[in-house]
Amino acid sequence: FLYFPETHGITFRIQISVKELLDTDVLLKLLFHLPVNYPSTLPDISVNSDQLTRAQCRDVKDKLLEQAKKHLSEPMVHDLILWIQQHLKYVIKQSATVCNEKTSLSKRTSTEDGIWMLLLHLDHMRAKAKYVKTVEKWASDLRLTGRLMFMGKIILILLQGDRSNIKEYLILQKTSKVDVDSSGKKCKEKMISVLCETKVQSQHKRFQEFEVKEYSTLDELQKEFETAGLTTLFSEFVPPLLK
């Protein structure tokens, strides 16, 4: 707890861990500033989390303030913490839906961004099954199509979709605890390379869905790229990974 002089009220800093989607722990850092005439006046609330995007943190804050209004004139901090522990996943799901609706709207009103493509290289996956499940969920939530490709030690993620959703995916990939380290502890992805981020051209075939595929030879992997009209992309970025 941090106490300030009477004229400024009291500020609480609270960290809570919430079991979220895919059984991932989300660490929420909540700051409640209680004004002198609290609870007759609503507290100021700020929300931060390494596992959530800024937009999601903002949505969590807005929902907490909505709940706070229902408890006006009665102590509420404890009730608000209990509420967000129980409802975090619904708030985030709703946030994703709103985000997708905004994306659809912006697609209708402006096509300047068009469809973009992202090619990522991962160094390794220790917790492969959980990692793959996480990537599939993100691609589904953000309406991205493409491939998660395994060939020997090479791991590639090829994504197509709205540019803002591609950006959102990158944020999730870099800030979420998607794997485990050598001691089995959850960790963020530190060894990821963005090989290419570009607008989808007319000669590129659009993927209709997101699939996880394994290839036994480089030729098989090359054919996947060629079928999608991405021969140049393959020759420029994939062979160097074998060196």
Side-chain angles (χ1 to χ4, degrees):
F1 302 117
L2 298 178
Y3 290 90
F4 287 91
E6 247 180 65
T7 50
H8 295 98
I10 299 170
T11 298
F12 293 89
R13 267 204 187 90
I14 297 167
Q15 290 197 157
I16 56 169
S17 186
V18 185
K19 273 270 188 234
E20 226 291 38
L21 307 166
L22 298 168
D23 293 326
T24 304
D25 287 336
V26 172
L27 188 66
L28 280 182
K29 298 166 189 173
L30 306 173
L31 192 140
F32 293 90
H33 176 68
L34 312 183
V36 179
N37 46 359
Y38 167 86
S40 302
T41 306
L42 291 178
D44 287 324
I45 304 172
S46 75
V47 179
N48 284 292
S49 174
D50 291 340
Q51 287 83 37
L52 303 181
T53 63
R54 277 187 196 170
Q56 287 171 329
C57 286
R58 199 164 52 241
D59 287 335
V60 170
K61 175 187 170 177
D62 291 344
K63 291 295 181 187
L64 281 171
L65 285 171
E66 273 179 33
Q67 289 301 310
K69 286 173 187 171
K70 297 176 185 176
H71 294 278
L72 202 56
S73 299
E74 60 186 63
M76 63 184 80
V77 173
H78 182 64
D79 289 326
L80 294 178
I81 291 168
L82 289 178
W83 186 87
I84 199 60
Q85 283 178 310
Q86 292 165 2
H87 294 87
L88 180 64
K89 61 183 171 186
Y90 304 111
V91 173
I92 289 172
K93 271 185 187 174
Q94 200 173 20
S95 171
T97 305
V98 171
C99 175
N100 285 333
E101 281 172 4
K102 282 180 184 169
T103 299
S104 301
L105 183 65
S106 66
K107 259 194 218 164
R108 289 196 297 271
T109 56
S110 168
T111 55
E112 62 182 13
D113 272 351
I115 301 300
W116 279 64
M117 180 166 56
L118 179 72
L119 181 63
L120 301 172
H121 173 240
L122 300 181
D123 186 73
H124 61 269
M125 284 183 182
R126 283 197 176 93
K128 184 177 175 181
K130 184 171 183 293
Y131 203 135
V132 168
K133 192 177 171 188
T134 303
V135 170
E136 285 181 310
K137 176 167 184 11
W138 288 342
S140 171
D141 287 349
L142 294 167
R143 299 179 186 181
L144 300 174
T145 59
R147 301 283 185 267
L148 170 53
M149 302 178 276
F150 295 92
M151 200 289 293
K153 290 187 177 180
I154 292 178
I155 306 169
L156 297 169
I157 301 176
L158 180 61
L159 298 169
Q160 291 178 346
D162 184 86
R163 193 178 188 187
S164 61
N165 288 359
I166 292 266
K167 298 282 186 194
E168 191 76 17
Y169 178 92
L170 264 178
I171 291 169
L172 287 168
Q173 181 77 63
K174 290 176 179 177
T175 59
S176 306
K177 291 187 177 178
V178 286
D179 207 2
V180 296
D181 60 21
S182 53
S183 62
K185 189 179 174 185
K186 289 178 184 176
C187 66
K188 293 178 186 176
E189 180 56 76
K190 293 187 177 73
M191 301 183 75
I192 183 171
S193 307
V194 178
L195 300 179
C196 179
E197 188 177 354
T198 184
K199 196 169 183 176
V200 170
Q201 304 300 321
S202 55
Q203 71 269 26
H204 300 150
K205 182 188 164 193
R206 288 290 310 281
F207 292 108
Q208 297 304 307
E209 56 192 345
F210 184 83
E211 291 182 74
V212 180
K213 299 183 83 169
E214 304 220 9
Y215 309 86
S216 51
T217 66
L218 191 63
D219 282 346
E220 282 181 20
L221 182 60
Q222 186 170 350
K223 276 175 188 161
E224 181 76 74
F225 277 81
E226 286 173 355
T227 304
L230 300 171
T231 306
T232 308
L233 191 72
F234 176 87
S235 56
E236 187 173 347
F237 296 105
V238 180
L241 299 175
L242 294 167
K243 291 174 184 173

